[in-house]
Every structure is written in structure tokens, then in C-alpha cells.
Amino acid sequence: GAVVSQHPSWVICKSGTSVKIECRSLDFQATTMFWYRQFPKQSLMLMATSNEGSKATYEQGVEKDKFLINHASLTLSTLTVTSAHPEDSSFYICSGIRTSGRGTDTQYFGPGTRLTVL
Amino acid sequence: AQSVTQPDIHITVSEGASLELRCNYSYGATPYLFWYVQSPGQGLQLLLKYFSGDTLVQGIKGFEAEFKRSQSSFNLRKPSVHWSDAAEYFCAVSHNTDKLIFGTGTRLQVFP
């Protein structure tokens, strides 16, 4: 399968600071990437869809000014949590779609980034 | 509204025993269905997917799932569980391959 990496794998920051999380597709080009958030013992909730070269599409209830997404290349998307607060502490997971060309694209997930805001 | 229900939050089985993880969905059209496994420190790994055709789908690691339209179900099965199968399992639904709606997950514990 295809590989998606995330960096950092975990980060601790002070309240009010900004944190950037990188998501890279290592062996395929991902025109579309997704950012999810997962709370403990809960499911993944889609935050936004990121398309290379265009603005991200945010799900209802997700603050686009707080969660800045940039998808500058076909292998890199970044999520910046601006002015982070303790309630932003969570597990952030990205994914990328690898196009098969046969209408059966598959979404590949990164290992996630644990964000703790003090 | 589209939704996925995994009724079992936590399942414990003995190694070598058979396994069935339940998944029910609510969807207006024929959905695309997925099962993912999440292990600590690793990304979600796709076990199998159903788009169309044969309703019994074979996946990796010896897993299979059966799509039953009449029951709106897509249960995951494995005839003999290994200790390494202990993980969190997520069922997901989509109308194509991008926006996935996940269930709440089932944590599988395997006893020797």
C-alpha cells in the first residue's frame, strides 16, 4: 500500500501558540488530502478536504481561521493550529487519495499527530 | 443522514477463535463500504472495501466482510484470530472514495 507520513508524531505547546503539522504522501501524488480529528475513544471526524493548489473545504463547525490548511504540492499538506488552546488537544490524522485510474481510489492514512496544549 | 453504527465498543476473544465485528449503516444510496484497522503508532490501514459486485469481500490478513443490503450491514469476519489482530477496527461508508464517515470503532482484545 501507499505510505503517508506525519510530522511531528506528537507535540506539546503552550496555550496561545501556533503549531504546524505536516502530512506527506511518500510514494504517490495526492491531489486530495483530508484532515481528521480523533478524540479519545471516539471516531475520526473529518475537519477539512484539501486540494492541491486551491483553498481547503471545511466541514460544518470547523473554524477555518483557526485550522489553517495549505496544500502547496501534490505530496505535502500542512495543518496549522493557530492560537492553540487546551480544547484543541487531540489526535490529528491526515490522509491522501491515491488515484487508481479505475474508479476505485483508496484513501491512505498517516499515523497521526498527538497535540497537547497546556 | 448518513451514519455508521458499530454496536460493540469492546470485544474480547481467545486466540484461535473466530471473530465477527458488526457494522450497520444508514445511507440513501448504494454506499461504498470500508473496514480499517488502527494500531497504536500506526495509521489506519485498509483491510477491505466494497464498491460493487460480489457481496463477500476478501481482504488482507485473512479478513473478509459481507455486504447485506437487506440488513444494511457490512460485518467483518475472521475464522481464526491471532494475537497481533488486537487493535481498533473502524467501519466507514462513503458515496465515493473521498468523504468517509466512520463508525465509533470496536476495540478488539485477544487473549492467549
Side-chain angles (χ1 to χ4, degrees):
Chain A
V3 179
V4 175
S5 70
Q6 282 185 240
H7 178 79
S9 55
W10 60 270
V11 57
I12 301 173
C13 70
K14 293 182 179 179
S15 185
T17 61
S18 295
V19 174
K20 179 185 284 188
I21 302 170
E22 291 185 348
C23 175
R24 293 182 184 273
S25 56
L26 298 184
D27 53 359
F28 68 101
Q29 293 184 326
T31 305
T32 302
M33 287 183 166
F34 301 91
W35 286 96
Y36 295 84
R37 186 172 179 177
Q38 184 181 28
F39 290 103
K41 301 186 187 301
Q42 295 187 29
S43 186
L44 285 77
M45 299 299 295
L46 180 64
M47 297 175 64
T49 303
S50 167
N51 290 297
E52 186 265 339
S54 63
K55 291 184 178 181
T57 303
Y58 291 82
E59 295 300 300
Q60 191 173 8
V62 178
E63 299 176 60
K64 61 180 181 181
D65 294 330
K66 180 167 194 59
F67 298 100
L68 301 179
I69 292 172
N70 184 279
H71 193 161
S73 78
L74 288 172
T75 59
L76 174 64
S77 177
T78 60
L79 169 67
T80 301
V81 183
T82 63
S83 186
H85 288 92
E87 57 266 29
D88 299 323
S89 298
S90 190
F91 196 53
Y92 293 88
I93 301 172
C94 73
S95 70
I97 286 185
R98 186 174 75 173
T99 303
S100 69
R102 301 189 299 272
T104 56
D105 303 342
T106 299
Q107 201 169 140
Y108 293 92
F109 287 80
T113 297
R114 173 78 58 194
L115 170 63
T116 302
V117 184
L118 302 177
Chain B
Q2 304 153 11
S3 65
V4 178
T5 302
Q6 293 180 246
D8 304 305
I9 297 173
H10 186 197
I11 283 184
T12 301
V13 298
S14 298
E15 190 169 20
S18 63
L19 172 71
E20 182 169 32
L21 302 183
R22 295 183 291 167
C23 173
N24 293 96
Y25 65 90
S26 173
Y27 205 81
T30 301
Y32 287 13
L33 295 158
F34 307 81
W35 273 100
Y36 284 88
V37 59
Q38 184 181 37
S39 300
Q42 299 182 28
L44 274 78
Q45 183 181 23
L46 179 66
L47 289 175
L48 46 78
K49 58 189 176 186
Y50 171 79
F51 289 168
S52 65
D54 193 346
T55 56
L56 183 62
V57 181
Q58 302 297 322
I60 62 171
K61 303 184 179 185
F63 286 93
E64 67 176 26
E66 186 171 12
F67 170 56
K68 293 185 177 180
R69 185 189 302 274
S70 62
Q71 298 177 20
S72 298
S73 69
F74 189 57
N75 294 347
L76 182 71
R77 300 193 294 251
K78 185 169 184 177
S80 178
V81 171
H82 188 261
W83 64 267
S84 60
D85 293 324
E88 187 91 21
Y89 291 81
F90 290 95
C91 180
V93 64
S94 175
H95 77 281
N96 47 34
T97 55
D98 48 12
K99 279 195 176 184
L100 294 173
I101 299 170
F102 285 88
T104 50
T106 297
R107 177 159 296 279
L108 174 65
Q109 196 169 8
V110 180
F111 281 115

